Amino acid sequence: MEAKVEDRPAARVETPAVPKESGDAAPAALGELKMKAKDVNLWYGQKQALFDVNLEIFDQSVTALIGPSGCGKSTFLRCLNRMNDVIDICRVEGDIRLEGQDIYAPQVDPVQLRARVGMVFQKPNPFPKSIYENVAYAPRLHGLCANKTELDEVVETSLIKAGLWEEVKDRLDQPGTGLSGGQQQRLCIARAISVNPEVLLMDEPCSALDPIATATIETLIDELKENLCIAIVTHSMQQAARVSQRTAFFHLGKLVEVDETSTIFTNPTDQRTQDYVTGRFG
Amino acid sequence: MTDQTASLASFTSEAATKKLRKRHRAERRFQMYGIAAILFALAFLVFLFASIFSQGWTAFLQTSIKLPVDFSQEVINPSGNPDAEDEIFQANYVKLAREALYKQLGVDPNDRKARRAANELLSRGVDVQLRDMVLRDPSIIGTTEDVWLLASDNADALMKGSIDRETPSERRQVSDEQIAWIDQLVDAGNMKKRFNTGLFVNGASSNPETAGLGVALIGSFFMMLTVVLLAVPLGVCAALYLEEYAPKGKIADTIEVNINNLAAVPSIVFGLLGLAVFINFFGLPRSASLVGGLVLTLMTLPTIIITTRAAIRAVPPSIREAALGVGASKMQLIGHHVLPLSLPGILTGTIIGLVQALGETAPLLMIGMVAFVVDYPTTPLEPATGLPVQIYMWASSAERGFVERTAGATMVLLAFLIVMNSLAVYLRNRFERKW
Ligand SMILES: Nc1ncnc2c1ncn2[C@@H]1O[C@H](COP(=O)(O)OP(=O)(O)OP(=O)(O)O)[C@@H](O)[C@H]1O
Ligand SMILES: [Mg+2]
């Protein structure tokens, strides 16, 4: 596994950094290859949930994972920051690399990995602490700030980036759980980006939100992708079309197709993808 | 379509209204059963409290007689040497008290019968009372001081009305002469019921008027201390390990089943275990509150483990994911989130465990804590009793004074239990975080 360092440049060749023009969509400007999953198989006990998944996600872009319920989108996403480690019965095989480094290698500490690969969950889950504490928690945990002033700064920039600063700057000491659902989800995003992760994984971040809050978060995702690699699971085709540059379609634990978002939605290769995006099943 | 209209109509039909009424009646009846059950339980509680309270409240008062006691040098310290402690210790203090009483009542010192009758008014514990006064402050030797001396059990009972004056004198435990003396003393303000501090500070005694809960309170305190210091850290650590680290599987299941079984083991079995292990094997002293504490620790441990595990399990998984997702290690997850969030549950469980332990009697019987201990234990290794054991011992004595003390001690124990339970409720509300 260690010997395959040349995987990375090879992968770059396979997928052209400048994708082909298609329709009216502006050419998606993809950054460098950030994470690469190769032949990932995953079992929950006896039951196999992922079958030979091969997927690459690129920096400074949003990759959407779509597919019918139970097809393994969340499962795959959780492989990318080893959140599956905490599930006893879960077993992962295959090769997942972050910037060429095998993240399942024994010398990799999952705790550190999760600081580099942040995650936002389906249900907003702020800590039952103050807004400030919610955002300050991770930088403090990883010892990123030398003093209180720096920490204040990090909290402020994270909240600004998450588009929440204006709404909460006067009540940072109030419980984060007292915010509205959409605000809570942005607080969770602020918490996730407070340690400057390289990759942000989002598992249906808008499924518990109303359209307005959803729109706010979509704008936010659009801004965040300028310096981040984002992978997002969504059930909304429109959302995938709006925010992502590339889309991966999962079905029954298999990655069926991955391509530029516009291609997936207008001209997919696989019949199942066609059926799914046109709403014929799923 | 037709089917649906038919079924809609059936909701307003005669039969349907009847059914609806019947359902409402059934619901009301069900509520009534519940209310009746609660009232029944409450009635018992009220009855219990009322009976204990009516019997026990007099235990908090104790009759005393004020006498000008002459601490005469000849009786206490005839050698005149202030360092002769043995002499002072063994002096005839009863004589001092009695002479003061004869003078007060105007009893002829040569009338043996009258003297004996007067003696019966004073408690047999007065010598200790006077001796302690002298030992505390030897400078009173040679002076005369007014001292409130304990009255005897019978005099106390008469004052409290549990000996009826109307009873014919030959069947009454207090003679007419004695009643006259008592009335004389009461009228002069020299005999009355005062708050019974002795109940809380005295050790064991065969005279009810000088018996107290002091040793039992200290013993119970040492035992609770042992339980808190051992059972809480052990229980919380065990629960944390089982919930957070232990691999789920056959072994974990076996442990779980066994902990649940342990919680159901009759407490006397723990007493036998304590006797066999701590006393016979490790050679710890009998009757020591440390052994009692260890046995109660074993008994409380399962309760604490079970409640702590439940509290840990109640921490929302989303909080765990959130913490792990930002890169908290398992230890940090536990220290920063799991423990603080489950603290109210852990505290409640701990206090409930302590309350159980405080009221437990049977295992203490097995390790010899049913003991007649006069002196305060200064370390947990010295013989002591416990509150419930003291109640048990007093309950088996027939004297009137012990009957009322049994109820009084029960009130003290209940007060502790109620205070601790309220504390549990308070802490739970205080620390419970709402989200
Ligand atoms: N902790 C788990 N233990 C056992 N099986 C699991 C676990 N989590 C997921 N699975 C199974 O793995 C498969 C994929 O689940 P996953 O949650 O990844 O689906 P998903 O694509 O995210 O679905 P949804 O869109 O409904 O969230 C499902 O069949 C599910 O039952
Ligand atoms: Mg999912």
Side-chain angles (χ1 to χ4, degrees):
Chain A
M1 274 201 165
E2 245 83 320
K4 288 198 279 181
V5 193
E6 66 279 356
D7 250 15
R8 224 179 115 210
R12 246 232 325 276
V13 178
E14 279 165 23
T15 337
V18 183
K20 47 194 185 289
E21 302 271 335
S22 61
D24 53 350
L30 300 181
E32 297 188 3
L33 175 66
K34 194 71 187 177
M35 293 192 86
K36 180 180 163 80
K38 193 153 170 278
D39 299 329
V40 174
N41 285 287
L42 183 144
W43 290 263
Y44 287 117
Q46 294 299 311
K47 183 170 163 286
Q48 188 163 5
L50 291 178
F51 300 83
D52 291 322
V53 174
N54 287 286
L55 182 67
E56 293 166 340
I57 61 177
F58 295 89
D59 212 357
Q60 289 158 5
S61 70
V62 179
T63 306
L65 311 183
I66 60 169
S69 188
C71 66
K73 307 178 296 291
S74 304
T75 302
F76 178 72
L77 202 68
R78 293 162 60 93
C79 287
L80 298 180
N81 69 345
R82 293 184 60 174
M83 278 297 276
N84 283 329
D85 285 19
V86 295
I87 301 173
D88 287 328
I89 55 167
C90 179
R91 189 161 55 85
V92 187
E93 266 178 22
D95 189 44
I96 302 178
R97 285 167 185 271
L98 171 63
E99 295 195 322
Q101 192 195 18
D102 182 6
I103 63 168
Y104 280 85
Q107 70 271 21
V108 172
D109 181 23
V111 167
Q112 256 164 9
L113 174 72
R114 290 182 201 133
R116 292 176 67 190
V117 184
M119 190 157 195
V120 175
F121 298 86
Q122 177 169 0
K123 226 182 100 213
N125 56 355
F127 298 129
K129 298 174 190 261
S130 73
I131 295 172
Y132 182 92
E133 285 301 318
N134 261 285
V135 185
Y137 181 69
R140 210 180 267 154
L141 207 60
H142 298 285
L144 297 185
C145 300
N147 52 43
K148 178 94 170 80
T149 339
E150 272 183 50
L151 192 62
D152 287 348
E153 234 163 75
V154 168
V155 170
E156 182 173 345
T157 31
S158 307
L159 283 170
I160 289 175
K161 277 194 218 156
L164 192 61
W165 177 250
E166 286 305 319
E167 288 157 70
V168 300
K169 65 179 176 202
D170 303 322
R171 45 171 176 156
L172 289 175
D173 55 342
Q174 283 177 21
T177 40
L179 297 172
S180 78
Q183 288 173 326
Q184 285 189 19
Q185 195 59 301
R186 276 180 282 152
L187 180 62
C188 293
I189 294 176
R191 181 178 64 193
I193 59 181
S194 64
V195 283
N196 273 323
E198 299 160 41
V199 182
L200 190 59
L201 310 174
M202 305 176 108
D203 192 352
E204 302 182 40
C206 302
S207 64
L209 305 181
D210 69 287
I212 294 174
T214 303
T216 320
I217 293 202
E218 282 178 11
T219 323
L220 180 61
I221 292 174
D222 226 37
E223 285 163 10
L224 287 175
K225 79 155 195 288
E226 298 305 323
N227 333 300
L228 255 179
C229 167
I230 296 179
I232 179 171
V233 171
T234 176
H235 273 287
S236 151
M237 298 305 128
Q238 290 85 345
Q239 185 170 60
R242 278 194 301 263
V243 300
S244 73
Q245 281 73 54
R246 279 162 56 82
T247 298
F249 173 64
F250 281 75
H251 184 56
L252 296 175
K254 295 193 180 74
L255 176 67
V256 174
E257 195 172 349
V258 53
D259 210 328
E260 228 177 275
T261 300
S262 49
T263 316
I264 292 282
F265 280 102
T266 53
N267 189 18
T269 323
D270 197 287
Q271 184 59 38
R272 287 169 294 180
T273 319
Q274 172 84 40
D275 290 349
Y276 185 71
V277 297
T278 51
R280 240 163 285 167
F281 80 91
Chain B
M1 192 64 193
T2 37
D3 266 8
Q4 208 175 2
T5 0
S7 76
L8 273 179
S10 76
F11 278 120
T12 49
S13 73
E14 182 69 16
T17 354
K18 226 159 134 190
K19 222 160 80 192
L20 190 69
R21 265 207 303 276
K22 199 172 151 200
R23 203 184 72 212
H24 284 177
R25 264 203 311 277
E27 215 152 281
R28 264 198 303 278
R29 211 159 44 229
F30 189 67
Q31 279 189 21
M32 294 302 290
Y33 293 148
I35 294 173
I38 291 174
L39 286 181
F40 194 64
L42 272 183
F44 265 106
L45 197 68
V46 168
F47 176 74
L48 176 78
F49 279 161
S51 77
I52 292 176
F53 200 80
S54 64
Q55 271 185 41
W57 74 273
T58 47
F60 295 95
L61 296 175
Q62 186 67 44
T63 309
S64 300
I65 305 173
K66 186 167 90 173
L67 294 174
V69 179
D70 174 18
F71 291 93
S72 100
Q73 177 92 39
E74 293 130 67
V75 177
I76 301 173
N77 194 3
S79 66
N81 173 9
D83 295 329
E85 276 184 13
D86 275 2
E87 196 180 82
I88 297 181
F89 198 83
Q90 287 161 3
N92 191 355
Y93 293 101
V94 181
K95 188 173 162 205
L96 297 180
R98 286 180 177 169
E99 273 169 3
L101 182 68
Y102 303 153
K103 219 179 280 166
Q104 185 84 348
L105 296 176
V107 176
D108 175 9
N110 297 322
D111 181 353
R112 279 189 58 186
K113 229 175 123 204
R115 253 173 34 209
R116 194 170 313 138
N119 290 348
E120 281 176 9
L121 291 185
L122 279 178
S123 159
R124 257 169 296 180
V126 291
D127 56 339
V128 180
Q129 224 183 333
L130 290 176
R131 187 222 295 149
D132 286 351
M133 276 183 75
V134 172
L135 289 179
R136 220 177 305 130
D137 178 18
S139 68
I140 57 173
I141 298 175
T143 63
T144 303
E145 273 194 42
D146 280 347
V147 184
W148 281 99
L149 291 171
L150 286 175
S152 70
D153 188 28
N154 282 339
D156 185 50
L158 187 89
M159 290 286 286
K160 286 172 179 166
S162 41
I163 289 183
D164 194 355
R165 286 167 187 251
E166 308 303 318
T167 323
S169 56
E170 66 274 14
R171 282 196 283 122
R172 206 186 317 115
Q173 276 156 309
V174 187
S175 69
D176 292 333
E177 190 185 25
Q178 286 170 328
I179 290 186
W181 282 333
I182 289 175
D183 289 341
Q184 177 194 336
L185 285 168
V186 170
D187 289 342
N190 288 333
M191 182 170 184
K192 61 180 169 196
K193 288 178 283 188
R194 307 169 79 220
F195 181 72
N196 188 5
T197 20
L199 180 65
F200 298 96
V201 299
N202 289 347
S205 166
S206 45
N207 307 318
E209 63 274 12
T210 51
L213 290 170
V215 173
L217 285 172
I218 293 178
S220 277
F221 172 76
F222 279 145
M223 287 193 278
M224 289 304 106
L225 197 69
T226 317
V227 175
V228 169
L229 291 182
L230 288 178
V232 175
L234 281 178
V236 172
C237 287
L240 273 177
Y241 178 79
L242 288 174
E243 273 308 305
E244 301 286 341
Y245 289 101
K248 308 274 173 287
K250 281 233 164 56
I251 301 179
D253 288 348
T254 320
I255 293 178
E256 164 131 39
V257 168
N258 279 309
I259 288 176
N260 289 343
N261 283 342
L262 216 54
V265 167
S267 56
I268 195 149
V269 178
F270 285 102
L272 283 171
L273 180 83
L275 182 66
V277 175
F278 298 125
I279 295 180
N280 291 344
F281 186 74
F282 287 111
L284 289 173
R286 282 182 143 266
S287 311
S289 42
L290 177 68
V291 180
L294 289 172
V295 169
L296 294 180
T297 299
L298 290 180
M299 232 196 66
T300 323
L301 211 49
T303 313
I304 294 186
I305 293 179
I306 290 171
T307 47
T308 304
R309 288 186 73 175
I312 292 173
R313 233 172 288 159
V315 173
S318 64
I319 297 292
R320 289 167 189 279
E321 286 195 321
L324 292 175
V326 295
S329 69
K330 193 117 198 193
M331 278 273 298
Q332 290 165 330
L333 167 67
I334 293 173
H336 298 165
H337 304 282
V338 174
L339 270 186
L341 287 177
S342 49
L343 193 64
I346 297 177
L347 279 178
T348 317
T350 304
I351 294 180
I352 288 175
L354 282 183
V355 168
Q356 263 177 17
L358 182 64
E360 199 53 71
T361 326
L364 302 185
L365 305 185
M366 302 305 298
I367 55 164
M369 289 195 76
V370 192
F372 191 86
V373 185
V374 180
D375 295 319
Y376 285 171
T378 47
T379 68
L381 284 170
E382 286 169 29
T385 57
L387 270 179
V389 183
Q390 191 65 63
I391 293 173
Y392 169 80
M393 286 191 287
W394 282 349
S396 40
S397 312
E399 284 98 326
R400 211 176 292 101
F402 279 127
V403 174
E404 87 180 4
R405 269 174 164 68
T406 306
T410 311
M411 281 166 69
V412 173
L413 181 61
L414 282 177
F416 272 111
L417 302 187
I418 290 171
V419 166
M420 284 167 78
N421 273 324
S422 321
L423 190 71
V425 173
Y426 170 76
L427 287 175
R428 195 172 50 214
N429 294 338
R430 170 82 177 63
F431 286 109
E432 196 145 65
R433 294 183 204 223
K434 294 166 180 79
W435 61 76

